[in-house]
Amino acid sequence: MKDYISVKKASEILQVTPHYIRKLVRDGKINGHQIEKSNRWEIERKSLNSYLKTDIYNQDLASFRLPQQITIKEAVENIEDVFEADVITYIMNSNLGGIIEPNDALQLDNLLSTMSPRIKGRNNKKFKKILLVVDSGGGIIEAAIKFASIIKTYANVFEVVVPVFAKSAATILCLEADKLYMTTVSELGPIDPIVQSPTNPMLRVPASSIRQFIDQYGRELKDTDKTPLDEILLKKLNITVDPYLLGAYRTAENFAEDELIECLSKYYLDKNQLKRIKELFLHKKSHSYPILFEDIKEFGISERISEEVKLGSIKILISVFNNFMNSQNIIKIIGNRDQNQNTAIAPEQIKQRLIQTGN
């Protein structure tokens, strides 16, 4: 009986990406096949060992280190092989206004309902494990919660990889997962809800910016006027801001705190740890403050990726997506190995978007 190993194991032996292993099979240099009714491949161990002893392998060594032309499908399959999971990509260009929104949940459900599992789930779940690759500056927290809930409905295990950053609502999305993977450059961010601007309905701003405005304006008035502060502040705000919106901003901040505590409940943190985490995720003055792996490793919230094959596959994937999105003016992609739901903008809108986002 022939002895087979996974593409992941073969890639670890050669220290190359899974994409290159599949290329060796297509080129007839090693033996392997795709498992019936699955997207997984198996490699014959004997043929791999024989290949390592040939002159062809020695000739191929140089090409292993050269940049490889690779498609989005192949980049996603690399991640699926090394993490042994079905992969969903959720990549955004935050500079051009790509954010987590309610409609994303519908696109996700469409993808998962038509997607064939690599490994079938148990207990009426379609997938054994879904790995979400997310790169996002944030968005609407409620939309992030719904996005995570849909994945949990389909899969026994829900894991997340952050190649570069997952801020604010995207941080909540990460904390909803059963496991979070980070690299040396990955960063999370303070959970600061994005809300409608009080002066520009087309612009979304961090809820904390409204509170900071009130605090700053209040301090200035307190030093220059004898009129009660509340009276002055309300008079000023009634001119520029709908007072009902002020209540909504405060509610959004309270909701973010409640959701953070709910996400962290599975880690069984003590009161002191919970206090420090709340200071880290809720009480930072900057919306873009970077929360790195080193900041949270003591709480057991995340796992750092150290395997070179995994790191290499992640770098390839994010590079392929960035190049494609920049060339096509795409601000958001929700996809899998076979299809992608793209959100693009017209070239003439790019300048306006950059002005609105302050870039």
Side-chain angles (χ1 to χ4, degrees):
M1 183 176 179
K2 293 183 178 180
D3 182 17
Y4 288 95
I5 59 175
S6 67
V7 171
K8 176 186 177 183
K9 183 65 177 178
S11 65
E12 290 171 348
I13 293 172
L14 292 188
Q15 285 297 294
V16 296
T17 65
H19 162 67
Y20 203 92
I21 296 295
R22 290 190 293 271
K23 182 178 184 299
L24 291 176
V25 174
R26 290 194 297 270
D27 292 345
K29 295 180 179 180
I30 60 175
N31 296 330
H33 63 270
Q34 188 171 2
I35 300 173
E36 187 177 358
K37 296 181 180 180
S38 170
N39 288 287
R40 292 180 294 152
W41 286 67
E42 289 182 327
I43 307 302
E44 185 185 336
R45 186 190 295 270
K46 182 178 179 180
S47 73
L48 183 66
N49 291 336
S50 298
Y51 168 71
L52 290 171
K53 299 174 183 178
T54 64
D55 292 336
I56 296 176
Y57 168 67
N58 293 325
Q59 295 169 9
D60 286 344
L61 277 177
S63 65
F64 286 166
R65 310 299 176 227
L66 296 176
Q68 303 292 321
Q69 292 292 330
I70 187 170
T71 65
I72 286 179
K73 176 181 175 66
E74 291 167 335
V76 171
E77 288 177 335
N78 276 347
I79 302 294
E80 290 189 324
D81 283 327
V82 296
F83 283 93
E84 298 179 316
D86 287 283
V87 168
I88 294 292
T89 53
Y90 198 24
I91 313 295
M92 297 165 217
N93 187 333
S94 299
N95 290 334
L96 296 181
I99 66 170
I100 297 173
E101 299 173 289
N103 286 341
D104 297 347
L106 179 60
Q107 296 182 37
L108 171 68
D109 189 66
N110 289 337
L111 285 172
L112 292 175
S113 64
T114 58
M115 183 176 172
S116 299
R118 285 169 54 91
I119 305 176
K120 292 182 179 180
R122 59 188 185 280
N123 300 328
N124 297 319
K125 301 281 188 177
K126 184 175 183 179
F127 303 92
K128 180 179 180 181
K129 179 168 69 174
I130 287 179
L131 180 78
L132 179 70
V133 182
V134 60
D135 196 68
S136 168
I140 300 172
I141 289 181
E142 292 86 345
I145 296 170
K146 186 174 182 179
F147 201 93
S149 177
I150 291 173
I151 293 178
K152 293 176 183 179
T153 299
Y154 278 91
N156 295 117
V157 179
F158 169 35
E159 298 181 348
V160 173
V161 169
V162 179
V164 183
F165 64 98
K167 314 290 276 189
S168 193
T171 293
I172 281 288
L173 179 56
C174 292
L175 296 178
E176 287 275 359
D178 299 309
K179 180 177 285 189
L180 167 62
Y181 294 100
M182 299 176 71
T183 69
T184 53
V185 299
S186 302
E187 63 178 74
L188 307 179
I191 300 169
D192 187 4
I194 299 295
V195 295
Q196 176 185 308
S197 167
T199 57
N200 182 356
M202 301 302 294
L203 183 64
R204 293 187 180 276
V205 297
S208 62
S209 65
I210 309 300
R211 172 171 43 80
Q212 290 165 3
F213 162 75
I214 294 173
D215 292 344
Q216 178 63 31
Y217 190 75
R219 283 193 296 270
E220 293 175 0
L221 289 177
K222 188 174 182 180
D223 294 335
T224 60
D225 200 299
K226 300 299 182 181
T227 308
L229 176 60
D230 290 347
E231 182 180 330
I232 298 174
L233 199 53
L234 285 174
K235 183 177 180 180
K236 175 65 178 176
L237 292 175
N238 280 335
I239 298 173
T240 59
V241 181
D242 185 335
Y244 291 104
L245 283 178
L246 293 177
Y249 298 145
R250 179 61 68 186
T251 299
E253 289 189 314
N254 292 339
F255 174 72
E257 180 173 351
D258 291 342
E259 185 58 29
L260 172 65
I261 294 173
E262 176 66 24
C263 288
L264 296 174
S265 62
K266 59 179 173 283
Y267 296 105
Y268 302 103
L269 304 173
D270 60 38
K271 289 184 178 180
N272 184 50
Q273 289 176 315
L274 192 58
K275 179 181 178 181
R276 299 207 313 274
I277 285 185
K278 288 172 66 175
E279 290 174 351
L280 190 62
F281 283 102
L282 297 173
H283 300 149
K284 294 297 181 183
K285 292 184 178 180
S286 171
H287 179 77
S288 58
Y289 181 86
I291 299 174
L292 308 178
F293 172 79
E294 294 296 328
D295 298 320
I296 60 176
K297 68 177 183 179
E298 65 174 293
F299 307 114
I301 294 175
S302 178
E303 178 179 318
R304 175 180 281 174
I305 300 171
S306 57
E307 300 95 324
E308 286 299 323
V309 172
K310 286 184 177 179
L311 288 171
S313 296
I314 291 170
K315 290 177 181 178
I316 289 173
L317 180 136
I318 204 66
S319 175
V320 169
F321 270 92
N322 284 340
N323 290 338
F324 174 68
M325 293 174 73
N326 290 334
S327 67
Q328 302 297 319
N329 299 325
I330 293 172
I331 62 175
K332 185 192 306 181
I333 290 181
I334 306 173
N336 57 25
R337 72 182 81 89
D338 296 318
Q339 57 181 313
N340 292 290
Q341 304 289 332
N342 304 333
T343 303
I345 60 173
E348 58 269 19
Q349 292 180 291
I350 293 179
K351 184 176 181 180
Q352 181 181 358
R353 292 267 185 152
L354 291 173
I355 292 173
Q356 288 180 340
T357 56
N359 292 290

